Amino acid sequence: MWGERQTMVVLKSVVLLMSFQLLLMVRGSMVQLKNGGYEDIVIAINPQLPENDKIIGNIQAMVKEASTYLFQVTKQRFFFKVIKIIIPQTWQQKSNYSRLKTESYDKADVIVADPFLKYGDDPYTLQYGGCGEMGRYIHFTPNFLLSDSLFDIYGSRARVFVHEWAHLRWGVFDEYNNDAPFYVSNDFGEAKVEATRCSANLTGQYIFQSCQGNKCTIRQCKYSNMTNLFEAGCKFVPEKRQTASTSIMYMQGLPSVVEFCDKHSHNEKAPNMQNKMCKYKSTWEVIMNSTDFSKASLINSSHPPSEPSFVLLQARDRVVCLVLDVSGSMGAHKRISRLYQAAETFLVQIIEIGSWAGIVTFSSSATIQTYLQQIVSENVRQDLIKYLPTRADGGTNICAGVRQGFQVIKAKFSNTDGSETVLLTDGEDNTMRNCLEEVRSSGSVIHTIALGPKAAPELELFSKMTGGLQYSATDALESSSLIDAFSGISSGSGNISQQSIQLESKALQVAVSQWMNGSVTVDSTVGNDTFFVVTSSGSLPSIFLTDPKGKQYGNINFTTSTANPKTARLTIAGTAEWGDWHYQIQNTYTALQVISMTVTSRAASLDVPPVTVRAHMNKDTNSVPSPMVIYAEVSQEFLPVLGATVIATVETQAGTAVDLELLDNGSGADVAKNDGIYSRFFTSLQADGRYNLKVRVHGKDKTVRLGRRQSRALYVPGYIENSTIQMNAPRPEVNNEEIQAKLGSFSRTASGGSIVVSGVEGGYADIFPPCKIMDLEAQIEDESIRLSWTAPGGDLDMGQAKQYIIKMSESFLDLKEAFESATSVNTSSLIPRPAGTKESFQFKPENITAENGTIIYIAVRAIDNASLTSEPSNIAQAALFLPPRQSLPNTPPPPPPPPNNNNPNNGVNITIVVLIVTGSVVVLCIIISTTMCILHKKHGRRGTAMSA
């Protein structure tokens, strides 16, 4: 018996290990790399776009050209092989359009959609993570795909696609920096201002363009008295014909650019995101360290082995089957009644009108409760609720439930392609592997919900294989995680105006006769189809709800059902009043009970996208000591929302919870400041098992919106060709009232799914050092240097460090490669502040004679109480540079350019300018000489007359 038990333990451990490995393998994008060819790349067209076949044709042309370019720039390693294009359901159906399988708009690698506020056509990639981590998606506007006039600004679409693909797939960053476009260099013995670029061998001129209406003038740039760098608005205009062949991540549109910067051509001193995020490594070095590169081999050919093939897919009505566990263990911890409450919320409030829904229950075997019904009215929703389970009994056969769910879908449609299955279970089942292949090939997306601590450890395999969502819910009654899980399963069609948005989700233990009070904000972007739902673990409490205008609602206004008497629901007719809704709920039960309030709504208008929140962790599985990162993207469609308070709650399967404020400050886990991505490391691990993530977001009147994303293709200001400056039209700007307008107050709650953690049990010591400081800045003030940075924590970006080590050198390489050997700065008076706060420190450098052209490099490390040390910070530059009186004497200021009716650009020939200026000077000298001569003669005649 002992041997059998040991064998079972070993087998179970092997299964868990295999599950974790598979989860890690399939996590993230569904793109596959086979023999150098990328397959199953999904490009999705937004359903709001009007039908235009030219978009599809130009996507295909772009990818075909990009495949050849990608093959060239990766030195015959990678190319594009199979591309799937999702056509909106609103477009006309055609015979060559196939039905979607597990693909969806929300999971697409490339999105084609209008920019919100129409502020421009910059292609960009949404990047959450650090160096080498995959991005979320690439965003192209339809105008970018349709307008050939943008070629001069960004380069060919194919080159732009490769630029963005490098962001998305390999986690490299841009080698320009709009926030720090210039820096001081003395690499060649002479201090001068350089453009932030890679490589530094790219040549060009520094031009300032000013426009009024359609008339633009250009001149050479001046120096700023404040920064001693070039003035704000100065642009580096490159020569169109270059000898340098790099770099794609700087200016991909230059014809000579056919390579990524490598260790030989990389400009490690440029203050750009690539250097900041990737420890001064070149983009090609990062790509060579990728998993893709390790799998690739040289292809002995000058062209890709094959051209890309395209599969056109079209979305159909949403089809969902609930597959619900009703085994005997579901009778414990009130699981079956909580399941009823959560599933009812999904059927009444979450699933979209026009969708199809069916219900299957399973224990030792599976039973079809109702075949698919199309939700065309409230009556259909109420009819579906009747089939939700209320009793639990029997064993657990997950495969039986999934197979029966597939049968429900096939009874209406010929196959399960493009359907969704919501699979909930609380039990273990060692036969799950028997249907893995069926699930994999089904074409149905499986969303999994693990209820309680003993749900099958292999459950997440189903969701990961099919691209589904994965959730977990605790047995703790004061948790609303089960309702949150069902509320998070909305359509992935991209039509956010139809999706349900959770505004509030709060649960609390309330003593006898005590109150649960709170408020929820209904903002101007939502208000339609609004529900207030109160649940209880004992009996319904007394409910008092007041809208922003003072109208009151009580128990009489809420509805309940005999099948679910512990849930009361209020539906607001029309559009709910905007503002703060206040609720007071009293426990009138004879004992302590758990009361919850959930509020959902939909967009108020088809024309104004609602504020949404997407939350997740950086991994689906994690093993200590690897840190976890929590992300919350707060946006109004593609526009980041700033200034919000974002609180993440991480809950163990035992029900204990940890709250953590996420920040958008560009330090610690946060990659970029003010991009609407709120982030934080999570280190408070308590036990092995599943952890559930929930995020609450609150915005007040100070909340503003920001315009552009990071990681985007450079908007090229112009080119110099044959000594002629040819300027592009200035970048279109949105007026400040639009882009910085106050969004107002709002409330959001979102589930971020679950993560499986191992390696915690048995405890662990302090294993997390302070995080790397990413935003160190230095400035010379008189004879001192002032430093500023954001404080790290004692554990990554949590807590407080113990001390700082500051090093300086006149050699950049000293700090990059031999930090400890560099000159130390006395920091005895510097006491670290709590994580996330701003630090400032001033010191006078010793043994360095400052003169014009002196550059001092500084870096910082933090140490915690366990003597764990952070990585060296980014290397800041303090430069003593006195600009010359005239910048660039070899390029005289050009006159206003002539108008060009075919292009909004403006050109001027430098040779003509030189001749004109030289001729003007000669003419002016002749005039002056002649005048002086005449005056001299007159003076001579007067003198002669006087002497006579």
Side-chain angles (χ1 to χ4, degrees), residues 922-933:
V922 171
V923 171
L924 182 62
C925 289
I926 293 172
I927 293 172
I928 293 172
S929 298
T930 303
T931 303
M932 292 296 294
C933 184

Side-chain angles (χ1 to χ4, degrees), residues 512-754:
V512 178
S513 300
Q514 296 303 303
W515 297 79
M516 182 176 84
N517 301 324
S519 63
V520 57
T521 303
V522 177
D523 60 277
S524 60
T525 68
V526 294
N528 285 343
D529 204 15
T530 303
F531 293 88
F532 290 81
V533 181
V534 177
T535 67
S536 60
S537 59
S539 65
L540 275 180
S542 295
I543 306 169
F544 302 91
L545 177 67
T546 306
D547 77 5
K549 289 189 174 181
K551 183 178 179 179
Q552 295 185 339
Y553 301 86
N555 289 59
I556 192 172
N557 304 109
F558 285 73
T559 60
T560 59
S561 67
T562 54
N564 185 19
K566 297 179 181 180
T567 298
R569 179 174 284 103
L570 171 67
T571 306
I572 304 299
T575 302
E577 293 288 344
W578 297 338
D580 292 336
W581 291 64
H582 300 281
Y583 57 86
Q584 299 86 35
I585 305 174
Q586 185 182 31
N587 178 16
T588 54
Y589 190 48
T590 56
L592 178 147
Q593 68 167 332
V594 174
I595 298 172
S596 75
M597 168 65 87
T598 303
V599 184
T600 63
S601 189
R602 299 187 199 271
S605 168
L606 296 176
D607 300 323
V608 180
V611 174
T612 58
V613 178
R614 299 171 65 100
H616 71 280
M617 294 193 188
N618 65 324
K619 301 175 183 179
D620 296 315
T621 63
N622 191 64
S623 180
V624 173
S626 178
M628 295 187 295
V629 182
I630 302 173
Y631 298 108
E633 178 191 354
V634 187
S635 62
Q636 190 176 11
E637 198 155 61
F638 297 110
L639 200 63
V641 173
L642 307 185
T645 299
V646 182
I647 304 296
T649 300
V650 182
E651 194 175 50
T652 69
Q653 55 192 24
T656 57
V658 175
D659 287 342
L660 179 66
E661 183 175 5
L662 308 185
L663 304 174
D664 185 17
N665 61 357
S667 68
D670 195 57
V671 171
K673 183 179 181 179
N674 290 339
D675 65 348
I677 310 297
Y678 297 75
S679 318
R680 204 76 179 267
F681 286 107
F682 179 71
T683 60
S684 302
L685 301 172
Q686 302 176 22
D688 287 351
R690 294 181 174 97
Y691 285 70
N692 184 62
L693 171 64
K694 176 179 181 176
V695 169
R696 294 182 177 88
V697 180
H698 296 284
K700 295 300 179 184
D701 289 336
K702 66 179 181 180
T703 303
V704 297
R705 302 177 298 202
L706 186 69
R708 294 185 174 87
R709 295 285 193 186
Q710 300 285 336
S711 301
R712 61 182 190 263
L714 178 64
Y715 191 104
V716 181
Y719 298 98
I720 301 172
E721 189 170 14
N722 297 326
S723 300
T724 299
I725 301 175
Q726 189 75 21
M727 297 298 289
N728 288 321
R731 180 199 298 276
E733 298 290 344
V734 175
N735 65 63
N736 288 334
E737 291 183 0
E738 271 192 304
I739 209 69
Q740 298 294 343
K742 290 185 177 181
L743 183 62
S745 299
F746 65 92
S747 302
R748 296 290 186 273
T749 300
S751 176
S754 63

Side-chain angles (χ1 to χ4, degrees), residues 96-368:
N96 61 329
Y97 293 171
S98 302
R99 188 181 178 92
L100 288 173
K101 291 189 176 180
T102 58
E103 306 85 3
S104 72
Y105 179 93
D106 278 1
K107 294 179 294 185
D109 304 290
V110 182
I111 291 173
V112 180
D114 280 327
F116 186 45
L117 291 186
K118 313 275 187 301
Y119 60 80
D121 295 290
D122 284 345
Y124 70 87
T125 302
L126 184 60
Q127 285 183 277
Y128 282 3
C131 186
E133 296 184 29
M134 289 186 186
R136 169 67 184 85
Y137 60 76
I138 297 168
H139 178 197
F140 291 136
T141 67
N143 194 48
F144 170 79
L145 291 171
L146 296 172
S147 175
D148 293 345
S149 66
L150 297 178
F151 284 178
D152 285 338
I153 293 171
Y154 301 109
S156 73
R157 297 185 189 107
R159 285 171 169 256
V160 172
F161 187 30
V162 171
H163 173 99
E164 300 305 330
W165 182 259
H167 282 310
L168 180 77
R169 186 70 186 181
W170 301 313
V172 298
F173 292 85
D174 287 321
E175 291 173 329
Y176 67 91
N177 188 345
N178 284 331
D179 295 326
F182 309 110
Y183 69 104
V184 177
S185 169
N186 60 2
D187 287 344
F188 302 101
E190 178 187 358
K192 60 178 180 177
V193 176
E194 293 277 7
T196 300
R197 66 195 189 281
C198 187
S199 78
N201 292 328
L202 288 168
T203 58
Q205 297 179 27
Y206 299 90
I207 301 297
F208 184 93
Q209 181 182 38
S210 59
C211 296
Q212 291 184 345
N214 294 326
K215 294 183 178 180
C216 296
T217 59
I218 56 176
R219 59 170 172 79
Q220 67 187 82
C221 294
K222 300 176 182 178
Y223 288 102
S224 165
N225 293 329
M226 294 183 62
T227 65
N228 286 339
L229 301 175
F230 287 125
E231 62 191 310
C234 178
K235 304 293 183 184
F236 176 74
V237 180
E239 299 278 354
K240 197 155 193 176
R241 301 186 184 278
Q242 300 274 348
T243 57
S245 59
T246 56
S247 165
I248 293 165
M249 301 315 292
Y250 172 60
M251 195 175 288
Q252 71 286 330
L254 287 172
S256 67
V257 171
V258 291
E259 295 178 10
F260 291 96
C261 265
D262 60 19
K263 62 181 179 181
H264 302 294
S265 59
H266 182 56
N267 182 8
E268 60 188 3
K269 294 183 181 178
N272 55 37
M273 283 290 286
Q274 174 63 23
N275 282 328
K276 173 183 173 181
M277 298 301 302
C278 296
K279 301 179 184 178
Y280 303 95
K281 291 182 180 179
S282 68
T283 52
W284 185 242
E285 288 176 280
V286 175
I287 293 169
M288 286 195 299
N289 287 331
S290 68
T291 303
D292 286 356
F293 202 90
S294 66
K295 296 177 180 177
S297 58
L298 285 171
I299 300 172
N300 188 21
S301 172
S302 59
H303 298 282
S306 62
E307 279 199 347
S309 62
F310 297 91
V311 181
L312 303 183
L313 305 170
Q314 189 169 34
R316 300 289 192 270
D317 291 336
R318 190 182 187 195
V319 179
V320 182
C321 185
L322 302 184
V323 178
L324 309 175
D325 188 348
V326 293
S327 59
S329 56
M330 286 292 293
H333 305 287
K334 300 186 177 181
R335 289 174 185 165
I336 199 71
S337 61
R338 292 170 57 221
L339 166 60
Y340 191 106
Q341 291 174 333
E344 181 186 54
T345 297
F346 177 78
L347 293 172
V348 173
Q349 301 170 218
I350 307 303
I351 190 168
E352 298 80 6
I353 194 76
S355 302
W356 297 80
I359 300 172
V360 167
T361 57
F362 70 92
S363 53
S364 302
S365 59
T367 303
I368 297 174

